[in-house]
């Protein structure tokens, strides 16, 4: 048994997966205990005084890239997938075509 998805369903699935990925990354990060995200600092002596900067970042930089790129890629995929579909085709038209001996892909 194979399931054939329509272009609309593929587009919805792509957007849902992208949003789920982004939400999962950030939710997983916030589920960590606060002690795990304590950022050690390095002190630097400058002419104006001592400054501190983080020795490491508690949020990986890739999270920010994925937050922007995953939904953008999903929307681009969906737009390209749905751009060429005729707007006039309705479910009734598809059902009539199937009843006349055609398939849903005609």
């Amino acid at each position: 048994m194979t399931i054939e998805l329509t272009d609309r369903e593929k587009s919805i699935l792509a957007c849902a997966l992208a949003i789920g990925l982004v939400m999962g990354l950030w939710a997983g990060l916030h589920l960590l205990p606060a002690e795990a995200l304590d950022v050690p600092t390095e002190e630097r002596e400058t002419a104006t005084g001592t400054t501190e900067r983080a020795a490491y970042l508690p949020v990986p930089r890739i999270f920010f890239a994925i937050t922007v790129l995953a939904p953008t890629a999903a929307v681009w995929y969906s737009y390209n997938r749905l751009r060429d579909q005729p707007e006039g085709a309705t479910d009734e038209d598809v059902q009539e075509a199937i009843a006349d001996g055609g398939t849903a892909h005609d």
Side-chain angles (χ1 to χ4, degrees), residues 61-74:
R61 291 183 182 166
I62 193 74
F63 276 33
F64 299 109
I66 291 173
T67 299
V68 173
L69 294 177
T72 302

Side-chain angles (χ1 to χ4, degrees), residues 16-62:
L17 288 174
I19 291 170
L21 174 67
V22 171
M23 295 295 291
L25 285 173
W26 289 103
L29 181 69
H30 290 297
L31 287 174
L32 291 173
E35 294 80 22
L37 298 177
D38 283 343
V39 179
T41 57
E42 295 176 355
E43 290 187 15
R44 286 184 156 180
E45 192 72 35
T46 61
T48 58
T50 304
T51 59
E52 293 182 346
R53 69 178 187 91
Y56 72 91
L57 297 174
V59 178
R61 291 183 182 166
I62 193 74

Side-chain angles (χ1 to χ4, degrees), residues 1-25:
M1 178 178 172
T2 60
I3 297 175
E4 293 188 29
L5 300 175
T6 64
D7 287 340
R8 182 172 184 255
E9 291 166 337
K10 289 177 186 176
S11 299
I12 292 170
L13 186 62
C15 290
L17 288 174
I19 291 170
L21 174 67
V22 171
M23 295 295 291
L25 285 173

